[in-house]
Amino acid sequence: MSEVEQPQIYLITPPEVELSRFPDRLAAVLDAHEVACVRLALATRDEDKISRAADALREVTYSRDVALVIDNHMLLVERLGLDGVHLTDGSRSVRKTRKALGQDAIVGAFCGASSHDGMSAGEAGSDYVAFGPLRDTGLNDGSVAERDLFQWWSEMIEVPVVAEGALTPEIVREISPFTDFFGIGEEIWNAEGPVQALADLKAQFS
């Protein structure tokens, strides 16, 4: 990644979405900011709820030519007309998923703070690798993706990298030179105005 390129935005939905409101909020953000991809990352395993959410968000993203991927549910990608899948088990499922979905689908892998897992995911056919969280939230095992990991990756590895989880303006400013994408979710959806919240984070890009 050259120094003149700024990171792209990769939006992550909240774990629960209110379908009477969220599609409009998402549309407002997509109309105000250039976004590379949206990830449907619901906590529920209810296939009906996931399908209804995917249908609603696909209407928003498709008309704006923004890719829509889903957390883990590989079997729903083709059925729901999505662009791909984001795997949360590191490199373990990448090869199988790539074979099942073909070369045109987006396959991404979240690899925590493990450069080894990230390299394995890339070798197995992942389109991107995501590392995070970028600070300890008390909700995970305590591992944190540090600046050094992103700096090393950007210098040594060709596979695009996503920085996601517990972002702050300070972290965004620090990591900006070393990441291809910022995975942004609760950082803006918990704000009163997501459009402005994203603008504030983008202002930290270097």
Side-chain angles (χ1 to χ4, degrees):
M1 182 180 175
S2 71
E3 291 181 358
V4 296
E5 285 181 1
Q6 288 196 329
Q8 296 183 69
I9 303 298
Y10 178 129
L11 287 183
I12 304 165
T13 70
E16 291 184 37
V17 297
E18 176 53 64
L19 291 183
S20 63
R21 293 180 64 239
F22 184 74
D24 290 337
R25 297 183 89 206
L26 176 62
V29 173
L30 295 186
D31 288 341
H33 299 284
E34 191 170 330
V35 171
C37 185
V38 174
R39 182 162 99 225
L40 183 59
L42 300 185
T44 182
R45 292 190 162 277
D46 185 312
E47 195 171 310
D48 181 56
K49 285 184 179 178
I50 293 169
S51 298
R52 282 189 287 117
D55 287 343
L57 298 195
R58 195 180 62 244
E59 283 190 28
V60 175
T61 58
Y62 185 77
S63 62
R64 291 164 176 82
D65 199 26
V66 175
L68 179 62
V69 301
I70 190 170
D71 261 1
N72 294 322
H73 297 282
M74 179 187 78
L75 297 177
L76 296 181
V77 170
E78 291 183 357
R79 192 184 316 169
L80 297 176
L82 306 179
D83 295 291
V85 65
H86 174 84
L87 303 170
T88 59
D89 62 349
S91 59
R92 283 187 284 282
S93 307
V94 172
R95 201 175 302 280
K96 177 182 71 175
T97 302
R98 172 62 70 202
K99 188 174 180 182
L101 295 182
Q103 291 303 311
D104 292 337
I106 297 170
V107 176
F110 178 77
C111 295
S114 171
S115 59
H116 179 268
D117 213 11
M119 287 188 290
S120 297
E123 289 166 3
S126 183
D127 291 299
Y128 67 83
V129 167
F131 294 123
L134 282 88
R135 59 189 170 97
D136 190 5
T137 62
L139 298 176
N140 59 340
D141 62 4
S143 62
V144 171
E146 305 277 2
R147 170 194 164 124
D148 289 352
L149 170 59
F150 290 95
Q151 185 167 0
W152 175 83
W153 188 275
S154 71
E155 293 169 356
M156 304 299 294
I157 309 294
E158 291 291 323
V159 178
V161 63
V162 181
E164 68 171 71
L167 298 173
T168 65
E170 294 75 24
I171 289 172
V172 167
R173 186 163 58 247
E174 182 183 15
I175 302 296
S176 175
F178 311 117
T179 190
D180 300 289
F181 300 89
F182 277 111
I184 297 172
E186 62 185 9
E187 292 91 351
I188 66 167
W189 303 126
N190 289 343
E192 198 166 314
V195 171
Q196 184 58 48
L198 183 51
D200 293 342
L201 284 177
K202 285 173 65 179
Q204 305 301 319
F205 288 4
S206 58

